[in-house]
Amino acid sequence: MSRSVDVALQSPQESDPADRADTDEPVETPAGAAGTGLYAVSVRNLCAFAAKCGDLDLRFTPSPTAQQGRLGHQRVAQRRGPGYETELSLEGVVRGLRVRGRADGFDPDSHTLDEVKTFRGAVEAIAPNHQLLHWAQAKVYGALICASRKLKALTLRLVYFDVVAQTEHPFTQRCQAEELQQFLDALCGRFVDWASQEQGHRADRDAALAQLGFPQLPFRPGQRELASAVYRACLQSRPLLAQAPTGIGKTIGTLFPALRAMPVRGTDKVFFLTARTPGRQVALDALQALRSAPGPGADALPLRVLELVAKDKSCEHPGKACHPESCPLARGFYDRLPAARQNAARHAWLDQQALRTLALAQGICPYYLGHEMLRWSDVVVADYNYYFDRSAMLHAMATDNQWRVTVLVDEAHNLVSRARSMYSSDLSHAETLAVRGQVPGALRARVDELLNQWQLLHDAQSRMAPQQTWSQLDAVPEAWLRALQKLCSALGEHVNDRPGDTNAAVLAFYFRALAFAALADMFGTHSLCEFDRADSADIPPSTGAADAASQVRLGGGGFDFPLDAAGRLTLRNIVPGPFLAPRIRGADALVLFSATLYPQDYYRALLGLPEDTAWLDVPSPFAGNQLQVRIVPVSTRQGARAASLDMLVAAMAEQFTRQPGNYLAYFSSFDYLAQACQRMGQIHGQIPVWAQARQMDEPARRYFLQRFDAAGQGIGFAVLGGVFGEGVDLPGARLIGAFIATLGLPQFDTVNEVIRVRMDELFGQGYDYTYVYPGLQKVVQAAGRVIRSETDTGTVVLLDARYREPRYQALLPAWWNIPQPG
């Protein structure tokens, strides 16, 4: 299947503010050059690839909104005389490239071509390398229109339009058609070799994938069934929800069919998304096996694999800002990028370490080289947030470039909680108060207006529920939101007009306020609005009891306002489906897989999956006699824990004495864990124990897992649903059993009870959706650490009497042999 694709070449990390606002080119259509054999590229992307130079500079710069950009273009066109042509579609073929785009305007009488860029601030502040890029675009359009209209010369007019002052700042060049054609020819010459290379890579990749064999034959039980379902989902372009047991090789069992479907479906890229760092490494290991699948002595599979990591994990100069005056790797970034890009494309395997080596060899930033190579990679391994978050880069680029992508979501049960956090936000009185002393005096009236609204909100809630600090609101208070929006507008004007004069604290508050305001505009039944008036942080005390006396003067600005108001407004998303919908639609195929996706209706409802989403439940290959399941009828309810602690640790010690070895013991909280661990040491001090600590760093986590040595024995205490509750692979004698205390149900508190009521209104199963399903999912994941292969055996001890109840047993794996009370 032949597809002509415009590869969007502008760097994702540093787009031109003027280009972000302007609509100077149409979106390229994948079939635009179908059947012509030509490689299609837009004017803007050609220039970004072949004409961009200079530094990487990510300092905040003024930029118009998209609407301001459109209105600015219209205003410039309205000021031109009769006969002026706007939005001219132009294209031409140069060196086998189909170059096309849309010029802003042309005056046929004076033969003047306009390239319009909207801006805010001072025209002198527009970076020189951005100006060169704008001129390059103007010259390409000039060459195209000279060729199409047989012009010998024309005037290029680069117009910078100030969206605030509504003024034009024109710069002109008189150019001969011949010199413009030479300029375009030179740009295409720089690009055509790369384009030819990319076409060759795509052809080689698709040919190799069509013949790709499974590298780990024979298939494990259930693995072929999973692979077949994924392959069908990719070809049919439909979502798939797949539950498959731990240990059957889900990662390679989903990657292999997704890759095999690429040449058949015409897929551009596969995004493999994970919730945790270990999941990325498992995916990379599977991809290494697939790249070696052709066999010994054969060339590796021509597949470019890219790993994207968080910026703080790949930054070479922590604490330095991303601009040439601060970071040496930002200086001349675009001058050295072509060589780094070519080396990276040739290397093909671009995990974190490889990217670092390739980038530093050219003296550029590894993190942003990774962003650049996203455009040229076939498989991208990254965290969920790169595709599902509000500012998700993978989704934005796939949409902008009309890529056909397959999205594989590993351990998809985590997507509910992760997506909820992505689409939640909060803002506090304390941070509003703190920013007041940081803003210029002219802006403090806007801050004070919001502070007054905080006071009114605090007072109103105090009167309505004097004994209750937390309350649910029907929506963000209208007056409070108006005050926030006015403050955001004022701060926006300030940071746009004086980007270099705005300190980091004000910028941080501004971005948080914008995020809150944006979610407030989209508020609905999918979210809760909460106000907690007890959230005060560190603010100065009031100076007196009376209202008039409860005033202080801050910052020397002459503004008085009350400081006895405290509180935090939270927009808590509980049903992320409405926000995820565009991302789900944006995937040509979407596969969500996990060992714990039951009941499927829970995940379908909360994630907003389409009606045609397919369901697969792969039977477990494990036999019931591999896992001994015991239930200890102890009460682990909050009020009974102290009284039952001795019985609980006695049951653990009895199992350990009967069968010494390595065990994991899971508890619902760090406090409960600490109590049990301490009691175990007091009564059964002969049993070695070690415990998960709060906020463990990577070395501490590795040390915790290293204690599970095949020749050793002891009990590691961990939090249920935490970092050791899933994604941990301790095969054989490294782990022979697990103790699981409680049902893992979320805490019964005011917030969760409000969520239960809302879930009941939306889905009719409030208690199950809020407590039971999230809790039992953590239990099954934790127990899944014990049996990792068809040869493993082990024990799971369920430490709670409620596990005897049929409604809870129905949510446990069917292959478990759970003893029934006699």
Side-chain angles (χ1 to χ4, degrees):
M1 180 176 180
S2 175
R3 301 175 72 228
S4 173
V5 180
D6 170 29
V7 283
L9 299 157
Q10 186 163 331
S11 287
Q13 67 272 11
E14 190 200 28
S15 57
D16 186 339
D19 281 338
R20 284 201 298 271
D22 296 346
T23 55
D24 61 344
E25 292 191 5
V27 174
E28 296 287 343
T29 57
T36 66
L38 298 176
Y39 196 105
V41 62
S42 70
V43 171
R44 187 169 64 186
N45 292 331
L46 172 66
C47 293
F49 183 92
K52 199 165 189 177
C53 59
D55 304 322
L56 174 69
D57 193 340
L58 299 184
R59 285 174 288 196
F60 182 85
T61 55
S63 60
T65 65
Q67 182 179 13
Q68 288 173 329
R70 287 191 295 270
L71 293 176
H73 277 70
Q74 293 172 10
R75 181 60 58 87
V76 171
Q78 290 167 359
R79 294 175 177 178
R80 300 297 183 256
Y84 184 77
E85 302 174 34
T86 61
E87 297 188 356
L88 290 81
S89 293
L90 299 171
E91 71 172 56
V93 177
V94 182
R95 296 199 177 199
L97 295 177
R98 182 177 295 277
V99 182
R100 54 191 176 185
R102 188 165 55 220
D104 292 320
F106 180 67
D107 184 344
D109 295 331
S110 63
H111 290 178
T112 300
L113 180 83
D114 281 340
E115 175 67 9
V116 180
K117 300 295 181 183
T118 54
F119 76 101
R120 298 183 60 155
V123 70
E124 295 82 7
I126 298 174
N129 61 338
H130 286 173
Q131 295 181 43
L132 289 173
L133 191 60
H134 301 159
W135 275 118
Q137 293 172 1
K139 289 178 180 179
V140 172
Y141 286 125
L144 293 177
I145 199 168
C146 283
S148 66
R149 302 200 180 189
K150 308 295 191 246
L151 303 178
K152 294 183 178 180
L154 85 168
T155 298
L156 297 179
R157 183 164 54 198
L158 179 57
V159 180
Y160 289 109
F161 182 79
D162 188 331
V163 297
V164 176
Q166 298 286 289
T167 55
E168 295 182 31
H169 300 264
F171 299 87
T172 61
Q173 287 186 24
R174 184 68 179 174
C175 299
Q176 299 298 312
E178 184 179 358
E179 64 178 295
L180 292 174
Q181 186 59 44
Q182 290 173 353
F183 179 84
L184 174 57
D185 190 72
L187 291 187
C188 291
R190 295 172 208 166
F191 182 79
V192 69
D193 289 341
W194 180 270
S196 176
Q197 169 187 292
E198 289 307 292
Q199 284 186 310
H201 168 75
R202 177 66 174 257
D204 292 344
R205 183 203 76 178
D206 286 352
L209 290 179
Q211 303 299 319
L212 180 65
F214 192 68
Q216 297 177 356
L217 291 174
F219 283 99
R220 299 180 190 178
Q223 197 176 39
R224 180 187 289 274
E225 184 179 356
L226 173 63
S228 297
V230 173
Y231 186 75
R232 288 194 301 270
C234 291
L235 294 191
Q236 295 169 1
S237 184
R238 65 184 299 197
L240 169 66
L241 197 61
Q243 178 171 269
T246 296
I248 72 163
K250 292 190 293 293
T251 300
I252 200 167
T254 53
L255 276 168
F256 169 70
L259 294 176
R260 279 296 303 265
M262 289 182 82
V264 182
R265 178 66 186 166
T267 305
D268 296 306
K269 300 180 188 300
V270 171
F271 297 157
F272 190 97
L273 308 178
T274 71
R276 304 171 191 266
T277 301
R280 285 206 314 271
Q281 189 56 54
V282 172
L284 292 171
D285 292 343
L287 286 162
Q288 279 284 35
L290 287 163
R291 290 180 78 240
S292 304
D299 293 334
L301 184 71
L303 190 74
R304 291 192 192 137
V305 176
L306 171 67
E307 179 188 17
L308 294 178
V309 301
K311 186 177 181 180
D312 61 352
K313 293 185 178 180
S314 64
C315 182
E316 292 293 317
H317 298 282
K320 291 184 180 294
C322 298
H323 61 78
E325 296 174 15
S326 178
C327 179
L329 298 182
R331 286 196 292 270
F333 178 91
Y334 291 104
D335 298 330
R336 296 189 290 275
L337 176 61
R341 181 171 54 209
Q342 184 63 60
N343 291 339
R346 188 181 303 115
H347 193 271
W349 184 257
L350 303 175
D351 64 359
Q352 182 179 0
Q353 184 55 49
L355 272 175
R356 181 176 186 271
T357 300
L358 290 163
L360 296 183
Q362 298 296 328
I364 66 172
C365 173
Y367 179 71
Y368 288 112
L369 175 60
H371 284 205
E372 171 67 26
M373 291 311 298
L374 166 59
R375 302 179 181 278
W376 316 111
S377 298
D378 304 306
V379 181
V380 180
V381 180
D383 186 86
Y384 288 173
N385 67 310
Y386 273 96
Y387 188 80
F388 290 110
D389 199 274
R390 281 178 282 176
S391 56
M393 180 176 68
L394 291 182
H395 174 254
M397 293 182 66
T399 301
D400 290 346
N401 298 294
Q402 297 190 340
W403 289 334
R404 182 172 288 174
V405 299
T406 292
V407 179
L408 306 178
V409 184
D410 183 30
E411 300 293 358
H413 61 274
N414 287 302
L415 186 56
V416 172
S417 59
R418 286 288 302 276
R420 282 172 166 172
S421 66
M422 293 173 193
Y423 295 97
S424 297
S425 185
D426 66 343
L427 206 62
S428 72
H429 171 271
E431 59 189 308
T432 310
L433 184 61
V435 82
R436 184 182 185 278
Q438 306 289 330
V439 302
L443 296 180
R444 288 182 185 168
R446 290 299 186 201
V447 180
D448 292 347
E449 184 177 348
L450 182 58
L451 287 167
N452 287 335
Q453 290 300 322
W454 276 117
Q455 180 72 54
L456 293 172
L457 178 58
H458 179 276
D459 292 349
Q461 296 304 310
S462 298
R463 288 192 299 270
M464 292 175 61
Q467 305 302 317
Q468 181 178 316
T469 60
W470 184 93
S471 56
Q472 178 190 5
L473 308 181
D474 292 335
V476 179
E478 188 175 336
W480 185 96
L481 183 56
R482 281 199 305 270
L484 178 68
Q485 291 168 337
K486 289 178 182 178
L487 176 57
C488 286
S489 179
L491 286 172
E493 293 291 338
H494 170 71
V495 298
N496 273 309
D497 293 341
R498 302 175 185 81
D501 298 337
T502 306
N503 66 35
V506 173
L507 271 179
F509 175 85
Y510 174 54
F511 293 140
R512 278 181 50 78
L514 281 178
F516 189 97
L519 285 178
D521 285 340
M522 296 182 284
F523 183 75
T525 57
H526 50 66
S527 300
L528 301 176
C529 181
E530 308 165 11
F531 178 65
D532 186 355
R533 59 184 174 88
D535 193 322
S536 59
D538 296 321
I539 60 174
S542 298
T543 58
D547 286 346
S550 183
Q551 310 282 320
V552 296
R553 190 180 302 274
L554 287 184
F559 294 94
D560 294 329
F561 53 88
L563 282 175
D564 58 340
R568 179 178 299 272
L569 271 170
T570 300
L571 293 174
R572 185 191 304 273
N573 176 253
I574 58 175
V575 182
F579 295 106
L580 298 181
R583 283 133 180 83
I584 293 172
R585 289 194 302 269
D588 186 61
L590 174 71
V591 179
L592 303 103
F593 60 97
S594 168
T596 50
L597 290 176
Y598 184 81
Q600 58 167 307
D601 289 346
Y602 171 77
Y603 293 97
R604 287 176 181 269
L606 295 187
L607 297 177
L609 298 178
E611 289 294 327
D612 67 340
T613 299
W615 165 253
L616 173 71
D617 189 2
V618 179
S620 174
F622 308 133
N625 60 11
Q626 287 184 253
L627 184 69
Q628 180 185 5
V629 181
R630 294 176 50 217
I631 298 175
V632 177
V634 63
S635 177
T636 62
R637 296 178 188 273
Q638 187 77 34
R641 289 177 182 176
S644 64
L645 203 54
D646 286 357
M647 181 179 176
L648 184 145
V649 298
M652 295 170 62
E654 178 189 354
Q655 171 63 33
F656 183 88
T657 302
R658 181 188 303 123
Q659 188 178 6
N662 292 314
Y663 292 82
L664 267 167
Y666 292 101
F667 294 83
S668 57
S669 68
F670 279 104
D671 289 341
Y672 196 12
L673 177 155
Q675 294 168 18
C677 189
Q678 182 182 30
R679 196 63 178 151
M680 176 68 78
Q682 291 170 345
I683 302 177
H684 307 282
Q686 77 281 6
I687 299 178
V689 298
W690 56 98
Q692 176 183 353
R694 300 177 191 268
Q695 299 178 337
M696 293 176 79
D697 57 19
E698 288 290 340
R701 294 179 186 179
R702 286 195 297 270
Y703 179 73
F704 180 90
L705 293 175
Q706 286 168 0
R707 294 289 300 269
F708 294 88
D709 184 84
Q713 59 182 33
I715 302 176
F717 286 68
V719 172
L720 192 63
V723 293
F724 303 116
E726 60 181 84
V728 172
D729 194 10
L730 299 169
R734 293 191 66 192
L735 185 70
I736 66 169
F739 305 101
I740 304 175
T742 80
L743 294 174
L745 306 187
Q747 185 176 356
F748 288 84
D749 58 18
T750 304
V751 176
N752 281 329
E753 279 300 286
V754 170
I755 294 175
R756 178 188 63 78
V757 172
R758 179 65 58 82
M759 290 295 184
D760 210 37
E761 294 170 350
L762 294 174
F763 307 113
Q765 301 181 66
Y767 183 80
D768 289 343
Y769 273 46
T770 306
Y771 297 108
V772 177
Y773 298 156
L776 270 295
Q777 171 260 310
K778 291 184 288 186
V779 169
V780 176
Q781 279 289 331
R785 303 311 96 206
V786 179
I787 304 299
R788 307 295 294 174
S789 73
E790 295 161 59
T791 60
D792 281 345
T793 59
T795 301
V796 169
V797 181
L798 302 173
L799 299 165
D800 195 298
R802 289 171 289 181
Y803 282 110
R804 290 181 169 181
E805 298 179 28
R807 64 169 175 164
Y808 295 122
Q809 290 192 12
L811 298 172
L812 300 176
W815 66 274
W816 287 10
N817 284 332
I818 302 176
Q820 301 302 317

